Amino acid sequence: MGTDFAQQRTLHNTHAALHAALVPDGNGRWAAARGLPRSTGHRAGVEAVRRAVRAASPLGIGTLTIHALSADNWKRPHAEVLSILELVAGFLADEVAACRAEGVRVTVLGRRDRLPDDVRRAIETTERETAAGTALHLRLAVDYSSRDEILAAVAETILAAVARTGDATRTSVSAVLGADGAPATPVPDVDLVVRTGGELRLGDFLLWECAYAELVFLDKPWPEFGADDLAAAVTEYRRRERRFGGLPAAGAGAGARP
């Protein structure tokens, strides 16, 4: 298989706007600590999503991917999963007009065949009505598994490329990962991952795209996450020196972006 390390590094260094990925964790524990049902925690989590989306562009974030529901979350009680999906559909319906007006393009990645019809319709409507947005690309991962996505890319793209040309590259894989249910458009690899709730892991989330991402873990539960927390994570990211397996460029200081 071919390699294109130089091209990958060039892509990292030429995308001025950051790609931040958020793993909202701790909704249920936040609610339980207050003697409230888990559904209340998930509703509070939607408000934290709104805060993060509004804060993103001023912080230099051009792509924001939020993990809304993993494929493994189907192991939870069915009623809880359906309530989360209803919140996703409600969020999209409530925010589509504002996103369109503010230039926020919304796409959704993950399986759609298991989603209720009303959720699929909300996704399709929002993607269609916000397709022209250029200020921020908001990506919601719904019924999403990074490992399943990589397997699909192998089966559908890499093997086809090898059969056709005898070669495949990292770029050919990246081109099909995270196609968001629409014609694939280039999405930069993740620069910054923020996970709340005190858990120190990525989970099955953007594993390919997060290969060189900077990780920030917060103890606070997601419903308490605010614009200041996102700003602090971006500030921490900019303090770090990213070398992508190489050596520091001569005269380069900390941080990833020129």
Side-chain angles (χ1 to χ4, degrees):
M1 297 180 69
T3 58
D4 50 352
F5 298 100
Q7 184 176 9
Q8 284 291 91
R9 184 161 187 171
T10 299
L11 286 172
H12 278 291
N13 290 333
T14 56
H15 283 88
L18 301 182
H19 182 177
L22 305 181
V23 184
D25 200 2
N27 290 339
R29 295 191 297 276
W30 178 88
R34 289 158 177 76
L36 301 170
R38 291 177 60 85
S39 58
T40 300
H42 294 311
R43 284 196 297 272
V46 172
E47 296 307 312
V49 169
R50 290 191 171 98
R51 293 193 293 270
V53 172
R54 293 190 180 103
S57 288
L59 294 171
I61 296 171
T63 305
L64 182 67
T65 304
I66 302 178
H67 205 188
L69 182 78
S70 76
D72 286 336
N73 286 153
W74 288 100
K75 299 173 185 176
R76 298 184 180 189
H78 193 63
E80 179 175 350
V81 175
L82 289 182
S83 71
I84 293 172
L85 290 173
E86 289 173 1
L87 288 170
V88 170
F91 171 82
L92 294 173
D94 291 344
E95 297 295 323
V96 62
C99 287
R100 186 174 59 245
E102 296 170 12
V104 177
R105 177 190 175 205
V106 182
T107 58
V108 175
L109 56 157
R111 291 182 60 169
R112 301 193 183 187
D113 58 302
R114 297 189 290 194
L115 302 181
D117 289 343
D118 61 325
V119 178
R120 283 199 301 272
R121 285 193 297 269
I123 290 171
E124 292 164 0
T125 297
T126 303
E127 288 182 331
R128 182 175 61 253
E129 295 193 10
T130 65
T134 58
L136 174 70
H137 185 185
L138 172 62
R139 305 165 76 227
L140 300 179
V142 180
D143 196 0
Y144 172 81
S145 164
S146 182
R147 289 178 292 182
D148 287 350
E149 187 182 53
I150 291 170
L151 285 172
V154 170
E156 298 175 15
T157 303
I158 300 179
L159 295 181
V162 171
R164 185 174 61 254
T165 68
D167 195 12
T169 67
R170 292 184 179 189
T171 301
S172 67
V173 181
S174 296
V176 294
L177 291 175
D180 303 351
T185 55
V187 175
D189 282 351
V190 177
D191 297 299
L192 169 66
V193 177
V194 182
R195 181 171 187 143
T196 61
E199 303 292 349
L200 306 180
R201 60 176 180 269
L202 282 177
D204 191 8
F205 182 54
L206 300 178
L207 298 176
W208 179 279
E209 299 91 328
C210 286
Y212 282 102
E214 299 296 321
L215 310 180
V216 174
F217 297 104
L218 301 178
D219 288 332
K220 70 169 51 180
W222 177 249
E224 296 178 6
F225 187 85
D228 289 347
D229 297 302
L230 186 57
V234 170
T235 297
E236 170 61 24
Y237 162 83
R238 295 194 184 280
R239 289 194 187 105
R240 300 183 186 180
E241 182 181 35
R242 304 177 75 205
R243 291 174 284 182
F244 306 103
L247 297 175
R257 305 292 179 180

